[in-house]
């Protein structure tokens, strides 16, 4: 079952349960998935579907970060939206798992003590391994701590 079908059936269930917030979130996710498929002029691969979902989560988190603290209505809405979207995103790697991948890349590149000069080479090898499984910003921060 594709993500589009999965999201559509969940949206129908949310409509039947009269869960307006979940329905609206799923509706916008469904629209984003369909638009990506239309742009591509073909069905989306699983990886492309995940990219669309992660993009929606990232946009919502950016909205949350820019929202002033006194706007609790927007903050609450964003938090609900993120909770719904994360149900469809793959499980993200935690810091320990990212460190393991970084260690394996360092071993592969034969770098014992990474320096800021090596960062570009390391990231070039590292990012394809964690793409869609970890936040790039977090990966970069962890690598910077290891230097």
């Amino acid at each position: 079952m594709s993500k589009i079908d999965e999201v559509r059936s969940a949206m129908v269930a949310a409509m039947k349960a009269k869960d307006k917030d979940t329905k609206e979130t799923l509706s916008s996710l469904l629209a984003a998935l369909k638009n990506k498929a239309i742009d591509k002029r073909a069905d989306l691969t699983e990886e492309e579907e995940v990219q669309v979902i992660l993009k929606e989560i990232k946009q919502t988190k950016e909205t949350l970060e820019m929202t002033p603290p006194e706007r609790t209505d927007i903050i609450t809405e964003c938090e609900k939206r993120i909770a719904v979207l994360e149900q469809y995103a793959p499980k993200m790697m935690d810091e320990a798992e990212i460190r393991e991948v970084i260690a394996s890349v360092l071993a592969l590149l034969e770098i014992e003590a990474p320096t800021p000069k090596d960062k570009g080479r390391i990231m070039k090898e590292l990012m394809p391994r964690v793409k869609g499984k970890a936040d790039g910003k977090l990966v970069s921060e962890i690598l910077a701590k290891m230097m």
Side-chain angles (χ1 to χ4, degrees):
M1 177 189 267
S2 74
K3 287 282 187 209
I4 290 177
D5 296 333
E6 191 178 325
V7 171
R8 185 180 292 123
S9 65
M11 189 176 81
V12 169
M15 287 186 332
K16 287 180 181 177
K18 297 190 182 349
D19 185 352
K20 185 179 175 198
D21 295 332
T22 303
K23 183 249 172 211
E24 287 176 359
T25 300
L26 293 174
S27 176
S28 67
L29 176 59
L30 185 61
L33 287 166
K34 284 182 175 181
N35 286 338
K36 178 75 173 180
I38 290 168
D39 290 345
K40 186 182 172 192
R41 297 177 191 253
D43 289 340
L44 298 177
T45 64
E46 192 172 325
E47 185 177 314
E48 290 169 329
E49 291 173 338
V50 168
Q51 286 175 346
V52 171
I53 294 166
L54 294 177
K55 181 179 175 189
E56 290 288 313
I57 291 171
K58 183 178 179 186
Q59 287 175 341
T60 306
K61 285 182 178 178
E62 288 172 356
T63 302
L64 188 60
E65 288 172 8
M66 292 189 299
T67 304
E70 62 271 5
R71 292 298 309 266
T72 56
D73 56 329
I74 296 174
I75 293 171
T76 305
E77 183 183 328
C78 286
E79 288 170 348
K80 286 179 184 176
R81 185 174 166 84
I82 290 169
V84 172
L85 291 171
E86 284 179 342
Q87 294 173 5
Y88 298 93
K91 180 188 170 290
M92 298 305 266
M93 297 171 84
D94 63 11
E95 194 169 327
E97 292 171 316
I98 294 170
R99 285 184 184 278
E100 286 176 27
V101 175
I102 291 173
S104 70
V105 168
L106 291 175
L108 177 75
L109 296 174
E110 298 174 358
I111 299 173
E112 291 177 23
T115 62
K117 194 171 131 182
D118 298 323
K119 188 172 183 178
R121 216 173 77 190
I122 295 168
M123 289 298 278
K124 185 178 179 183
E125 184 69 33
L126 179 62
M127 288 313 291
R129 295 175 183 223
V130 297
K131 187 174 183 180
K133 299 177 196 163
D135 180 29
K137 196 163 127 182
L138 179 62
V139 172
S140 183
E141 288 172 7
I142 293 171
L143 180 60
K145 287 179 191 173
M146 295 174 80
M147 292 183 178

